[in-house]
Amino acid sequence: MTTDLTEITVIGDDDTGLVARVTSLLFERGINIEDMDQAVRDDVFRMYLAVDTSEMVCTEATLREDLHDLGADLGLDVQVRFPADRETQQIAVLVTKESHCLEALFEAWANDELGADIGVVIGNHDDLQPLAQHYDVPFHDIGDESGQQNEDELLELLAEYNADLIVLARYMRILSPNVVFRYEDRIINVHPSLLPAFPGAEAYRQAVEEGVRVAGVTAHYVTTDLDQGPIITQRAFDVPDDADAAEMKRRGQPLEADALLDAVRLHLSGDISVHRGRTSVRAAGTEYQLGLPDEVDDITPDRPVDGIGSAVADDQ
């Protein structure tokens, strides 16, 4: 996560010349582009820029206004996040009906162990509204009777509550590129499998049907490719011979909450970064559990190792 650079996200219909118009505006104002990434999916154009505004020849308010005016002229949605805008980070939690991940987030927040504020809970059903009300957090139901989300309303709420991070706490809907592109590397999901194994729905059932001996959960950044985003944390558990999907769920849910919470903390602390589809963790990130606990090292065999046999043969 970038902390000392200004972040600019540009979203809209794909067209020629968009990159040149935006970068030219920045150049004219003495702004240096440190990083830039662009993509198109389903005819939705996205460009992300991390820029150094420390020596720009205009005010922050002027730059924001100029970019918004350019966006209006080109039919683009332009978001600008200056470093000061991210000093107190706001989390939007998306939920469906399962409460365990939301409970873990609320408990950490109540104990000042999260490092950010939970500003809003958004659901595609209203089952978890009482839990949000208990913590005095606004709840919004954006789903119809079947749970289909209203993405326009979702985007309005994310903007209204100034969401810095979106956490999918067992949110059972796929986000379109129109949402993901606006918050790329700022949406964290937890999936009930050791990705890349068993992506998609019914992951625990898939694991049972395939007869795995070890299953698990994965917290990862959301991309436009389902369950293929950069992996942040994972947890694993043994699968008994007689385990069914219900038993898998019982074993997995506590680990889902644990993996998601550590992933959120890593992101908020700035101890993790994403480069070319992979995450890397800074030295300070060693306080988090990324995979199996350290105790597993004590029972993991360290012999034989390939090459020892040939070394013995050479001594004879």
Side-chain angles (χ1 to χ4, degrees):
M1 181 181 63
T2 302
T3 57
D4 57 347
L5 297 175
T6 295
E7 298 175 335
I8 301 171
T9 304
V10 182
I11 305 289
D13 294 336
D14 189 27
D15 200 356
T16 59
L18 300 180
V19 175
R21 292 288 300 274
V22 175
T23 55
S24 294
L25 184 151
L26 298 177
F27 175 77
E28 292 166 0
R29 286 152 184 78
I31 296 169
N32 187 46
I33 298 173
E34 300 287 345
D35 188 25
M36 183 174 71
D37 178 65
Q38 64 187 74
V40 177
R41 178 63 63 89
D42 296 338
D43 293 324
V44 178
F45 168 81
R46 171 193 181 270
M47 179 168 61
Y48 167 84
L49 304 102
V51 303
D52 184 357
T53 54
S54 61
E55 298 183 5
M56 66 180 177
V57 295
C58 65
T59 65
E60 291 184 357
T62 298
L63 176 62
R64 196 189 300 271
E65 182 178 356
D66 290 347
L67 284 170
H68 286 170
D69 288 346
L70 178 62
D73 182 47
L74 298 175
L76 301 172
D77 178 19
V78 182
Q79 301 175 6
V80 185
R81 299 170 71 231
F82 293 101
D85 297 335
R86 305 189 297 272
E87 289 179 356
T88 302
Q89 299 187 78
Q90 297 293 320
I91 299 175
V93 185
L94 274 57
V95 298
T96 296
K97 295 183 177 182
E98 297 180 15
S99 67
H100 55 289
C101 288
L102 180 60
E103 290 175 20
L105 290 165
F106 272 144
E107 183 176 348
W109 179 49
N111 292 328
D112 294 325
E113 298 173 350
L114 198 55
D117 287 333
I118 298 177
V120 64
V121 177
I122 303 170
N124 63 322
H125 293 280
D126 63 2
D127 296 56
L128 301 186
Q129 184 170 2
L131 183 57
Q133 289 176 336
H134 175 74
Y135 285 92
D136 198 27
V137 173
F139 183 96
H140 295 269
D141 181 3
I142 61 166
D144 60 18
E145 292 183 357
S146 66
Q148 182 62 45
Q149 65 198 3
N150 183 327
E151 282 203 344
D152 290 337
E153 186 177 358
L154 172 60
L155 287 171
E156 290 174 2
L157 289 169
L158 295 175
E160 176 183 345
Y161 288 93
N162 297 315
D164 295 291
L165 175 66
I166 302 168
V167 180
L168 308 187
R170 298 301 288 135
Y171 184 65
M172 307 303 290
R173 287 290 173 180
I174 297 173
L175 300 177
S176 77
N178 200 33
V179 177
V180 174
F181 276 172
R182 285 174 164 81
Y183 296 93
E184 194 153 349
D185 295 340
R186 290 195 283 142
I187 308 175
I188 296 177
N189 180 46
V190 64
H191 182 75
S193 81
L194 291 173
L195 292 174
F198 314 128
E202 303 287 342
Y204 288 139
R205 178 186 57 77
Q206 292 182 61
V208 171
E209 292 177 351
E210 292 297 328
V212 301
R213 291 297 186 181
V214 176
V217 305
T218 302
H220 65 98
Y221 284 111
V222 173
T223 66
T224 54
D225 296 313
L226 180 64
D227 296 331
Q228 296 183 42
I231 291 171
I232 308 173
T233 57
Q234 293 185 304
R235 302 286 188 272
F237 60 90
D238 283 326
V239 180
D241 285 345
D242 58 352
D244 57 12
E247 173 62 16
M248 297 279 282
K249 187 174 182 179
R250 185 191 69 78
R251 289 175 175 244
Q253 279 191 342
L255 297 180
E256 292 171 18
D258 191 57
L260 180 63
L261 188 56
D262 256 1
V264 169
R265 287 170 170 158
L266 270 164
H267 176 93
L268 292 172
S269 65
D271 287 330
I272 193 167
S273 60
V274 181
H275 181 64
R276 294 185 177 178
R278 291 178 59 89
T279 59
S280 59
V281 179
R282 298 181 177 87
T286 56
E287 64 186 84
Y288 305 94
Q289 184 182 334
L290 302 179
L292 293 172
D294 293 337
E295 292 80 5
V296 173
D297 287 339
D298 297 333
I299 59 174
T300 300
D302 60 1
R303 292 290 187 276
V305 178
D306 186 41
I308 291 181
S310 60
V312 172
D314 290 341
D315 290 339
Q316 295 178 350

